[in-house]
Amino acid sequence: KNNQRLFVKHRYRDYSGEQPRPGDRDELEGAGGNSSRTPNAAFPVKLHETLTQIEKDGYGDIIGWLPHGRSFKIHKQKEFAEIILPRYFVMTKKSSFLRQLNLYSFNRFSAGRDQGSYYHEKFLRGMKFLCRRMTRQKVNGNRIRS
């Protein structure tokens, strides 16, 4: 049996130099002096705001941004399901959270120093306006279409 590891090649465009467009409602994190959360926001925007709030609330040891700000990681699975999901999200199951990540095309690092963290090229710390440019895959019955 050949036990070669499979590596998925991803295209990754670096959006870290992007600036908000005139039509972007939310500028860079913290701009405008109002840090209130967006009600009924699309999942990526809400996740971005929530990661910032979780850090402020002292739960960064459970889930948080990695130091480079290009991905986030769930550090403590049990506490995430018991504390974070019911408090910050309308869902109670981790599987529902992971489904949302998949529908918005987040990827998970399976090796290396960022192993287990989730990333998307438009999901960067301090650049919430990019989240509004992320698209959700359409779901028809049991099939997912892009």
Side-chain angles (χ1 to χ4, degrees):
K1 182 177 173 182
N2 189 357
N3 286 333
Q4 286 185 334
R5 293 186 68 173
L6 296 175
F7 292 95
V8 179
K9 296 193 187 288
H10 297 281
R11 290 187 335 221
Y12 184 87
R13 179 174 167 205
D14 185 3
Y15 284 90
S16 63
E18 288 280 315
Q19 296 297 317
R21 297 178 190 151
D24 288 327
R25 289 189 294 176
D26 295 304
E27 283 76 43
L28 294 173
E29 198 82 18
N34 186 356
S35 62
S36 64
R37 299 180 61 201
T38 305
N40 301 321
F43 179 77
V45 175
K46 180 170 180 158
L47 176 59
H48 197 284
E49 293 171 345
T50 301
L51 285 170
T52 303
Q53 189 61 46
I54 285 171
E55 197 172 66
K56 290 176 186 173
D57 292 348
Y59 293 114
D61 61 322
I62 299 174
I63 181 176
W65 291 102
L66 292 187
H68 50 65
R70 293 179 180 269
S71 64
F72 71 94
K73 186 173 185 177
I74 301 170
H75 304 290
K76 297 179 180 176
Q77 304 292 328
K78 184 177 183 222
E79 289 88 344
F80 175 74
E82 292 175 357
I83 299 169
I84 302 300
L85 284 179
R87 184 172 291 181
Y88 295 96
F89 295 95
V90 293
M91 56 194 83
T92 56
K93 291 194 218 172
K94 184 181 169 203
S95 59
S96 299
F97 179 82
L98 296 178
R99 182 169 191 268
Q100 288 296 315
L101 291 179
N102 286 329
L103 287 172
Y104 280 96
S105 302
F106 278 83
N107 293 301
R108 185 173 183 257
F109 285 109
S110 57
R113 62 187 168 118
D114 296 338
Q115 183 176 1
S117 67
Y118 297 90
Y119 72 95
H120 188 287
E121 61 188 9
K122 294 179 183 173
F123 194 77
L124 306 172
R125 179 175 41 207
M127 300 183 78
K128 184 171 71 173
F129 67 92
L130 287 175
C131 296
R132 296 197 183 279
R133 300 179 192 171
M134 295 171 70
T135 56
R136 183 179 190 271
Q137 294 178 359
K138 293 180 180 163
V139 179
N140 272 353
N142 293 331
R143 292 178 290 170
I144 297 177
R145 298 187 328 191
S146 50

